[in-house]
Each structure stands twice: as C-alpha cells, then as structure tokens.
Amino acid sequence: MKVRIGIGSLPLASGPGPGPELAELIDELETRDIDSLWLADTASAPTIDPVVGMAFAAGRTRNLKLGTGVLVLPGRNPALVAAQLASLAALAPRRILPAFGVRSATPADRGLYPVPDGARAALFDEALTVVRRLLSEPRVTHHGRFFHLDDASVAPLPSRPLDLWLGGRAPAGLRRIGRLADGWLGSVVTPAEAGDARAEIERAAEEAGREIEQDHYGTNIAVVPPGAADSDVDAALARVTRRRSDIDPALLVPRGWDETREQVRRFVEVGLTKFVIRPAVPIASWRGFLDQFSAELGGLEAELSS
C-alpha cells in the first residue's frame, strides 16, 4: 500500500486566504512534488471556497491532487455538485478527490445548509447516491424522498468514476461509508480510534456486499510546528476540546515534527495510508511551513509504503 501525505488548510488567520497566499501555497506544493492539497469548506472564515480553490489550483498545476476536506453535502443540490466535480475532473483528470461530510464542523456555518428537521442523515444518503449515479451513468432517472431527476446528465462525464470519500467518526457515519462510499477521511481521532473505525467500515461493507480498497483510509492531523506561541497553542487545543471534550487534546495534536512522524506511524500500524497535514496554529508563511514539512516528513511516504 502506498502512503501519501498531503497538505490541508484550516480557517486560521494564516489561510490560505484570498489571492496571493493561496497561489503561493499551490505553486510551492507543485514545485516540491507534494501529493495533494485539501481545502476546507468554511464559508464564514476568510478562506477560499473549496470548489473555487480546486479550479484555481487545477489551472496552475499538472500533478498536484486536489481534495475537499470535507465538503458539506446536505443542503447542496447534488446534481449541481456532480456537475462541478465533472468539470473539475475534466480540467484535472485523475487528480480530483472529493470527500463529503454530513454537516459543518464550524457552528457558524451550519445554518447555511438547511435540511428538514430530523432528515439530515437520510438526505445525505440520497444526495450521495445521486452524485455517484450522475458521475458514472450517462443518463439518470431518480425519484426519491428528496430529489427527482428525469433523464438527467452531467457533462463531460468522467472517463472513470470518481472515488467518493466521507468524513465523520460516529458509528452510523462509519457504517454509511461501508454501504455507500469509497473511502474514509477521519479527523480528531486517535490511532486506536482510527483502527476501530476501519474495522467498523469493513464490517458494514461486507454486510452490504461491497469492498473498500485497502488504501482508502486516511485522516487529518493538525500539527503544532516548532516555535509556535503559547497563546496560539492554547487556542488550538481549545478548538480541539470543543470538538472532543472526552479526550486530552494533546493526544490529537502533535507538537513538533518528531511527534508528528510517530503519530503517522501509529496510524499506519492500524491500517491508514492517506494523511492530510494541517497547521494547528497561524504560521508566518506557507513556504517556511513547507520547508519544515519537506525536511521532516519528506522521506516518510517511501519509508512507510509497502
């Protein structure tokens, strides 16, 4: 299995924000031959919309893979989402990595994706089915609880269906991945929890008569680089605590590159192979962060791949 390590954005003051900062990040990733860029779906933060950012990056690069980390699907029209992804796949063949979530992790954004009360999970399941069918079938007729399509299509249809990954860690969400998706991109989980999540997904896939590819399991890792201000570290740990009050945030946010390498190794030991490294604190520049990333993690992909 091939271990791959990409870079992700967080809604911090460091961005990647509008204009030159995102362009600098994209160009640096392409020049350094880093695997992928993952853009967060945080409409209320001063960051670039992930679909717009992916299109911008596709036009500046030839090798960089481009992912969403993660795109909220309930509340969006799945036919329009499929059309956007089809266009991106035409601009950057074999480089588009869509990952979806049930709802925004940012409370301020949750009202932007209205769904009927109590129907979010059911709507998500149906929307994901619509997206998959439109990206893999030339004509689609679908009449469900939430969406109705008659002889619908998106063009250009991808030459090969896109893999659709999901985020989340709740048991119901993990079972959904086994039933409906192609991979898992976790977040704020320990290696032990990730191993349990993979096992749950595999059980659900087997029950549904499906199989998830062995290297389609990954997670985000927020990293505190050396030299971060104590106040920034405290703020980062507080953000994690708001999402995971049940666990010591220090177990989820490695400090320094030595801890990051060990965290990646522990995840690989339980079956994960795809990683999105994000700065947990504001950084002075992406170039400086990537200098450290390349020096400290640059050889880890080859070392851990089998």
Side-chain angles (χ1 to χ4, degrees), residues 168-177 200-201 204:
R169 65 177 186 274
L174 298 174
R175 291 191 292 271
R176 176 184 292 112
I177 296 167
E200 182 71 19
I201 292 167

Side-chain angles (χ1 to χ4, degrees), residues 152-177:
S153 64
V154 298
L157 195 67
S159 58
R160 54 176 281 178
L162 298 180
D163 288 333
L164 306 180
W165 290 40
L166 303 185
R169 65 177 186 274
L174 298 174
R175 291 191 292 271
R176 176 184 292 112
I177 296 167

